[in-house]
């Protein structure tokens, strides 16, 4: 099994549609022990969704914008696992105003940047006391090389997120820890449906040589599993596209 005996912290399980739910399910099937995070009023939802995994996983509180949550994370995590082999960052949020590029306020943009980009650094540092040499941090992006319809300040946050991953690769590499991203095509999750006019992304498959099913989070989840495993031992600062091949096409 790909993740035999590995201990993982997985953020971002909200519903069964969440990419992170599929990572958690596949990780357990591949032999890993997983701990989930959630926060605020979604905490109970995550707890009930955690029961639908092959093995019910513990859920601990983490709002990445809450410094106290971050400061106490390693200690609270230590009640469930003695060390970590991997961390999944599957977190994205921007206020509604951030999806209107010219009218957005700094507060809209700042929230998007803090929760969706800076949080990769914050989560990595918070889990560093438990992360073992050979460990892996994995996050999810939507290709920030382009200006997309409606993605707006979330797109800017993803550009910062991708850059954050490269700097983490630089600073965690000497500790033997990798940091990589999966650049997924559009998937109809709760976060995606909160983006105004997300249905514009439905045409993704028409431009993808392999086609694309916006209802299937499993291809992106499988890539996360591969990056969390020992099968990319010399890869860091990388972005693996799981998008049906969309990124490689001119038309
Ligand atoms: P989702 O709504 O299922 O998951 C988003 C998660 O972010 C939720 O669990 C939510 O609780 C969490 N979150 C939001 N604010 C947070 C905070 N302050 N602290 C901690 N957690 C917080 O949606 P998803 O599509 O599975 O999103 C997971 C990741 O995948 C995000 O980074 C997203 O940008 C990325 N992504 C999604 C798509 C897509 O089309 N769905 C495409 C590419 C990348």
């Amino acid at each position: 099994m790909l993740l035999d005996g590995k201990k993982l912290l997985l953020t971002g399980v909200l519903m069964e549609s969440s990419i992170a739910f599929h990572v958690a399910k596949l990780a357990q099937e591949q032999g890993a022990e997983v701990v989930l995070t959630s926060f605020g009023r979604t905490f109970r939802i995550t707890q009930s969704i955690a029961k639908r995994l092959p093995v019910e996983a513990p859920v601990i509180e983490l709002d990445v914008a809450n410094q106290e949550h971050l400061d106490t994370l390693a200690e609270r995590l230590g009640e469930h696992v003695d060390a970590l082999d991997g961390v999944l960052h599957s977190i994205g949020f921007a206020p509604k105003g951030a999806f209107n590029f010219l009218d957005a306020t700094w507060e809209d943009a700042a929230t998007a940047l803090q929760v969706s980009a800076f949080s990769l650094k914050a989560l990595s540092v918070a889990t560093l006391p438990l992360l073992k040499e050979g460990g892996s941090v994995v996050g999810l992006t939507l290709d920030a090389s382009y200006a997309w319809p409606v993605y707006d300040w979330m797109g800017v946050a993803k550009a910062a997120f991708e850059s954050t991953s490269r700097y983490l690769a630089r600073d965690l590499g000497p500790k033997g820890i990798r940091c990589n991203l999966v650049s997924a095509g559009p998937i109809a999750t709760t976060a995606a449906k909160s983006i105004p006019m997300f249905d514009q992304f439905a045409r993704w498959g028409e431009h993808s040589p392999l086609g694309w099913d916006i209802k299937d989070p499993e291809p992106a989840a499988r890539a996360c599993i591969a990056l969390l495993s020992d099968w990319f031992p010399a890869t860091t600062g990388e972005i693996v596209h799981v998008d049906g091949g969309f990124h490689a096409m001119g038309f």
Side-chain angles (χ1 to χ4, degrees):
M1 287 192 287
L2 272 182
L3 299 177
D4 223 0
K6 296 224 180 280
K7 295 170 185 176
L8 308 175
L9 179 69
L10 308 179
T11 66
V13 174
L14 175 59
M15 307 296 281
E16 259 183 275
S17 58
S18 297
I19 299 167
F21 176 84
H22 293 263
V23 177
K25 180 170 167 283
L26 290 168
Q28 289 183 341
E29 288 169 4
Q30 292 298 321
E33 180 184 341
V34 310
V35 178
L36 309 180
T37 72
S38 188
F39 76 108
R41 57 195 172 82
T42 61
F43 193 85
R44 277 167 182 273
I45 302 173
T46 303
Q47 276 181 320
S48 74
I49 296 291
K51 293 191 174 74
R52 300 189 197 167
L53 289 169
V55 180
E56 185 177 345
V59 186
I60 60 175
E61 181 96 12
L62 177 66
D63 173 350
V64 286
N66 182 320
Q67 194 57 44
E68 195 190 326
H69 287 187
L70 291 161
D71 290 344
T72 57
L73 182 66
E75 195 187 324
R76 291 182 290 119
L77 199 48
E79 292 167 21
H80 301 281
V81 288
D82 53 4
L84 276 180
D85 299 285
V87 176
L88 177 75
H89 178 293
S90 191
I91 293 168
F93 174 75
K96 237 192 181 80
F99 296 104
N100 183 329
F101 195 78
L102 295 181
D103 288 344
T105 63
W106 166 238
E107 284 70 28
D108 293 329
T111 301
L113 286 161
Q114 182 184 15
V115 176
S116 308
F118 186 80
S119 62
L120 181 63
K121 187 286 272 193
L123 177 66
S124 302
V125 169
T127 51
L128 209 47
L130 290 175
L131 263 172
K132 294 202 295 216
E133 196 175 334
S136 171
V137 176
V138 176
L140 286 139
T141 188
L142 182 81
D143 198 336
S145 322
Y146 305 100
W148 299 107
V150 303
Y151 210 45
D152 297 39
W153 285 95
M154 191 63 190
V156 177
K158 285 301 192 194
F161 182 69
E162 293 180 4
S163 181
T164 302
S165 174
R166 288 187 284 271
Y167 279 97
L168 281 169
R170 183 194 71 181
D171 287 356
L172 302 184
K175 301 180 196 302
I177 298 165
R178 296 165 284 140
C179 184
N180 292 291
L181 302 181
V182 170
S183 183
I187 302 162
T189 60
T190 308
K193 287 189 231 155
S194 73
I195 300 169
M197 298 188 290
F198 176 74
D199 51 0
Q200 290 202 26
F201 283 95
R203 284 160 37 211
W204 193 275
E206 293 167 24
H207 303 281
S208 307
L210 293 175
W212 184 254
D213 179 358
I214 67 163
K215 292 196 189 72
D216 186 7
E218 189 162 321
R222 280 181 172 247
C224 293
I225 296 292
L227 289 167
L228 288 165
S229 80
D230 294 333
W231 286 84
F232 278 96
T235 299
T236 195
E238 185 59 278
I239 302 178
V240 179
H241 289 83
V242 181
D243 62 354
F246 183 104
H247 73 283
M249 297 299 113
F251 274 96

